[in-house]
């Protein structure tokens, strides 16, 4: 990412630069084992203080940074405070990936977004599923984000501030959250840590906000038509992609934008070598993926401080699978699989209106409104040809129909003592209709098609939120509070089987406080601390999910008494913005109460008359702690070019406090470090990524695989990537890269959870070997 300049506090516009929400310091990061860390998180404030001395002195003796960076346009974000803000003025950890970064780093999907970010990961297991087998490997493709050890629906995903569909996992079915086409995205903002005080439920681990392109990204006062087009090839899945975005100005008050993208690819490559058409296969199953996306916008500015943006978005992803790895080997039983095929569909449609008014009234300076309708559909169809038993078909769908509304006002208040406040207050309303359906041929014993795994449910939430920026001298203090009320109203109609599991409805409330403190210790250095409460309400599937296999003597039962998950999170950090160095350091710790664990065995012996019973339950307390360091050091300058070293390192540990067992969703520590040479016309970089081993002591095998097997532990590995960009015309760029340059075999931990250490096909879960990516982009 481009290095941000240092701007003296006195030259900044007061509230465009200052925080709007997050949070106050905690002096320790308890729960991290000191013996395994380079330093104790308890000592972080002292390390920050020591750093301020020599580095601050270095900065004071350097040439004025403001002069060196004159003319640089400061970047702003909206996710950290629900208002445009300089990210360096937010008392929270935040990453910003702009369009230039997306292009230079060849980010094609959400998996690529997490590639270089400390303590951030995206699971993508290979497509090796069977019709009814568990775990559901690869059904969900890019499953969703893991931030600081929290994954799934504990990380809030947004597009233009609109909540995205949740993942759905039940029995052998799994639908992920990759309803996003990166080709339509202008900027990505990742906020680490609980965001419930701003956004409510599902933001316990953080949020990822994808911000789509706007006509203003391509137009200037002198330019009334413009756009961009690109084509590319990705060797890791033999994919091709092409897209174009056009924008224009009709008159002084009306602008438009139209973007289209299309892609084709195969399954993600790996380092497997067994190409057998049976369960011994370790090479990828034959797979064909295709995607298409559309974005349209009208921006109307009638004057008087008004702006209205109308957005239509469509994303469609389809995959076809030939599941050769599901085919049985001789000797064959009556139920042995002879062939299996599947396809999956993911579609999302959105209509959104955003309005902005400049009021300058006693109650509000500005008023912002948003109203959005969104429809998301996921479907999985699987056919299984069995030996002499009846063939089987499963056709499973999951749908969300959601209406979201927001009204937010802001008011700046000046105080006599030279301090100032900006108050933000608003209301959020969300209503979702959530349904699932399964049809097919040859249902499980005791079941008839069609059936539902949970009843149709209306999920609603209403919230009031308030936050106050208090700014004086070098200090910013930002308290905030959000009050949420949520409800799940289940409909008994059509729920099968209705007799034994009547649908349950529930409702509840949650208060999410936060307070953040930021100190600008010097023009080059700032330190911050925050406290934030988080919560996640249970969803329809967790409350009312039901399944019973009467021949294998097990069943999953509802839990109408589920409580929302709650958390208390503390973070302390420091930022340095020197002439040659940008540095971000943060340490964090969180306690999570009533953690929701799905499909926990709660009773039964798995025998006739006493089936094994599984249920989604609240478990006691989980503690997650860690730290991260990231930055960029510009260490060599020559006429026409310069060298720099981007770097990032993250480590997280998690423990179930009641049992003392580790939390399996924690990723091993990862170090990213590179060397880059850049000139105005071309750039090249070599990046090294070291993934630490996942130690057996950090794995709860009993919750991952069935005893007596133990979970496969990923070894350590270091990979190299070589990439570069040639800007051979002002409006044309060629970007290319060779990834995993040394063809190293390695695994990602999140992809192998559920794979036993004794498995003969662990190579099937490896990452791609050496591969090429190349793209060409043209602006006009």
């Amino acid at each position: 990412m481009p290095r941000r300049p240092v701007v003296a506090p006195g030259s900044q516009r007061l509230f465009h630069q200052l925080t709007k929400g997050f949070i106050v310091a905690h002096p320790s990061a308890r729960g991290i084992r000191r013996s395994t860390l380079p330093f104790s998180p308890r000592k972080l404030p002292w390390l920050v203080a020591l750093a301020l001395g020599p580095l601050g002195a270095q900065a004071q003796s350097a040439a004025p940074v403001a002069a060196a960076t004159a003319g640089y346009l400061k970047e702003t974000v909206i996710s950290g405070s629900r208002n445009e803000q300089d990210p360096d003025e937010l008392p929270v950890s935040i990453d910003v990936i702009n369009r230039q970064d997306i292009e230079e780093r060849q980010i094609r999907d959400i998996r690529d977004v997490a590639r270089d970010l400390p303590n951030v990961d995206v699971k993508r297991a290979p497509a090796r599923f069977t019709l009814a087998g568990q775990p559901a490997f690869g059904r969900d493709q890019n499953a969703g984000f893991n931030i600081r050890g929290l994954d799934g629906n504990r990380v809030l995903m947004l597009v233009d501030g609109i909540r995205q569909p949740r993942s759905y996992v039940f029995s052998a079915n799994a639908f992920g959250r990759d309803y996003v086409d990166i080709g339509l995205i202008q900027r990505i903002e990742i906020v680490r840590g609980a965001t419930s005080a701003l956004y409510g439920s599902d933001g316990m681990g953080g949020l990822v906000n994808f911000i789509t392109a706007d006509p203003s990204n391509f137009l200037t006062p002198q330019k009334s038509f413009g756009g961009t087009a690109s084509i590319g090839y990705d060797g890791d899945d033999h994919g091709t992609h092409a897209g174009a975005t056009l924008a224009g100005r009709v008159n002084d008050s009306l602008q438009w934008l139209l973007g289209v993208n299309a892609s084709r690819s195969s399954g993600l490559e790996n380092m497997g070598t067994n190409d057998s058409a049976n369960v011994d296969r370790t090479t990828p199953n034959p797979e064909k993926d295709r995607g298409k996306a559309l974005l349209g916008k009208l921006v109307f500015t009638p004057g008087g401080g008004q702006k209205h943006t109308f957005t239509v978005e469509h994303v469609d992803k389809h995959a076809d699978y030939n599941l050769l790895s599901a085919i049985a080997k001789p000797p064959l039983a009556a139920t042995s699989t002879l062939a299996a095929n599947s396809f999956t569909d993911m579609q999302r449609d959105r209509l959104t209106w955003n309005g902005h008014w400049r009021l300058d009234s006693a109650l509000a300076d500005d008023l912002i409104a948003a109203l959005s309708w969104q429809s998301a559909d996921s479907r999985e169809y699987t056919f299984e040809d069995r030996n002499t038993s009846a063939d089987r078909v499963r056709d499973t769908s999951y749908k969300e129909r959601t209406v979201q509304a927001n009204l937010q006002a802001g008011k700046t208040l000046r105080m006599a003592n030279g301090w100032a406040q900006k108050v933000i207050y608003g209301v959020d309303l969300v209503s979702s209709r959530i349904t699932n359906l399964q049809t097919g041929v040859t249902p499980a014993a005791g079941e008839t098609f069609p059936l539902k795994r949970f009843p149709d449910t209306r999920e609603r939430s209403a919230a009031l939120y308030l936050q106050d920026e208090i700014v004086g001298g070098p200090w910013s203090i930002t308290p905030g509070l959000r009050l949420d009320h949520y409800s799940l109203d289940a409909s008994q109609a059509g729920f099968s089987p209705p007799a034994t599991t009547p649908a349950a409805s529930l409702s509840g409330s949650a208060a999410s406080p936060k307070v953040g403190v930021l100190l600008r210790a010097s023009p080059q250095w700032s330190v911050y601390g925050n406290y934030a409460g988080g919560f996640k309400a249970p969803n329809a599937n967790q409350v009312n999910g039901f399944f019973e296999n009467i021949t294998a003597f097990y069943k999953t039962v509802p839990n109408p008494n589920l409580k929302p998950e709650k958390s208390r999170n503390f973070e302390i950090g420091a930022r340095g913005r020197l002439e040659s160095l940008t540095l971000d350091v943060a340490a964090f710790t969180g306690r999570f109460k009533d953690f929701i664990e799905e499909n926990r065995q709660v009773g039964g012996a798995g025998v006739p008359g006493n089936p094994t019973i599984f249920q989604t339950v609240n478990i006691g307390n989980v503690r997650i702690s860690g730290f991260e360091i990231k930055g960029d050091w510009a260490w060599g300058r020559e006429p026409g070019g310069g060298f720099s070293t981007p770097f990032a390192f993250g480590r997280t540990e998690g423990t179930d406090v009641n049992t003392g067992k580790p939390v399996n969703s924690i990723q091993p520590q990862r170090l990213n470090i590179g060397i880059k040479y850049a000139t105005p016309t071309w750039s090249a970089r070599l990046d090294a990524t070291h993934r630490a081993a996942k130690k057996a002591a950090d794995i709860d095998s009993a919750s991952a695989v069935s005893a007596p097997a133990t979970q496969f532990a990923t070894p350590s590995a270091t990979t190299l990537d070589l990439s570069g960009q040639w800007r051979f015309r002002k409006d044309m760029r060629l970007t290319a890269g060779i990834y995993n340059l040394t063809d190293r075999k390695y695994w990602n931990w999140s992809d192998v959870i559920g794979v036993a250490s004794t498995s003969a096909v662990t190579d099937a879960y490896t990452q791609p070997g050496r591969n090429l990516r190349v793209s060409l982009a043209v602006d006009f």
Side-chain angles (χ1 to χ4, degrees), residues 82-100:
R82 301 192 72 144
N83 195 53
E84 287 192 359
Q85 199 100 34
D86 177 0
D88 285 349
E89 299 294 338
L90 292 168
V92 66
S93 295
I94 188 167
D95 298 283
V96 183
I97 302 174
N98 59 33
R99 190 65 218 176
Q100 180 180 339

Side-chain angles (χ1 to χ4, degrees), residues 252-431:
D252 290 342
S253 61
L254 184 62
Q255 299 177 351
W256 60 269
L257 177 142
L258 179 65
V260 293
N261 286 283
S263 63
R264 297 287 187 273
S265 63
S266 302
L268 193 66
E269 288 293 328
N270 63 24
M271 299 287 282
T273 57
N274 189 330
D275 206 34
S276 302
N278 56 46
V279 294
D280 291 337
R281 183 183 186 90
T282 60
T283 57
N285 284 319
E287 177 183 338
K288 295 297 181 183
D289 299 342
R290 62 180 184 267
K292 55 187 177 182
L294 169 72
L295 175 70
K297 285 190 177 183
L298 287 176
V299 181
F300 181 52
T301 52
Q306 290 191 58
K307 180 180 180 181
H308 301 273
T309 302
F310 302 88
T311 303
V312 57
E313 183 187 10
H314 172 74
V315 177
D316 187 340
K317 298 185 178 183
H318 179 89
D320 290 295
Y321 306 95
N322 184 1
L323 299 171
L324 299 179
S325 63
I327 298 175
K329 296 195 306 180
L332 300 179
T335 58
S336 294
T337 300
L338 303 181
N341 296 277
S342 182
F343 71 79
T344 58
D345 279 315
M346 297 180 68
Q347 296 183 21
R348 181 174 62 86
D349 294 283
R350 174 172 67 98
L351 298 173
T352 301
W353 162 73
N354 293 93
H356 179 272
W357 295 265
R358 181 69 184 177
L359 300 180
D360 294 323
S361 69
L363 295 178
D365 299 327
D366 297 275
L367 184 66
I368 300 172
L371 180 63
S372 182
W373 171 87
Q374 185 169 259
S375 173
D377 294 73
S378 293
R379 181 188 178 196
E380 178 198 305
Y381 178 95
T382 303
F383 166 77
E384 186 178 77
D385 177 12
R386 299 197 292 181
N387 187 18
T388 58
S389 295
D391 296 341
R392 298 193 295 184
V393 172
R394 299 289 184 272
D395 191 351
T396 305
S397 62
Y398 173 80
K399 300 180 180 181
E400 292 188 16
R401 303 286 185 270
T402 304
V403 176
Q404 304 176 59
N406 169 257
L407 187 64
Q408 177 178 300
K411 180 65 180 178
T412 299
L413 304 172
R414 310 283 180 175
M415 294 180 284
N417 58 4
W419 287 57
Q421 293 177 267
K422 183 166 186 178
V423 180
I424 295 290
Y425 56 98
V427 57
D428 271 335
L429 301 172
V430 181
S431 178

Side-chain angles (χ1 to χ4, degrees), residues 577-620:
R577 300 293 182 261
L578 286 72
E579 185 176 6
S580 299
L581 175 70
T582 64
L583 179 66
D584 291 80
V585 181
F588 56 88
T589 185
R591 295 292 294 266
F592 302 85
K593 182 182 178 182
D594 293 325
F595 216 61
I596 294 176
E597 180 178 322
E598 297 185 356
N599 297 320
R600 186 185 184 102
Q601 183 175 343
V602 296
V607 297
N610 188 18
T612 303
I613 299 174
F614 297 91
Q615 189 179 46
T616 297
V617 298
N618 295 107
I619 62 176

Side-chain angles (χ1 to χ4, degrees), residues 730-747:
K730 182 180 179 181
D731 57 355
M732 189 174 295
R733 303 166 299 282
L734 179 68
T735 307
I738 303 175
Y739 298 85
N740 195 0
L741 187 64
T742 60
D743 211 28
R744 178 68 185 271
K745 179 190 288 189
Y746 70 101
W747 292 260

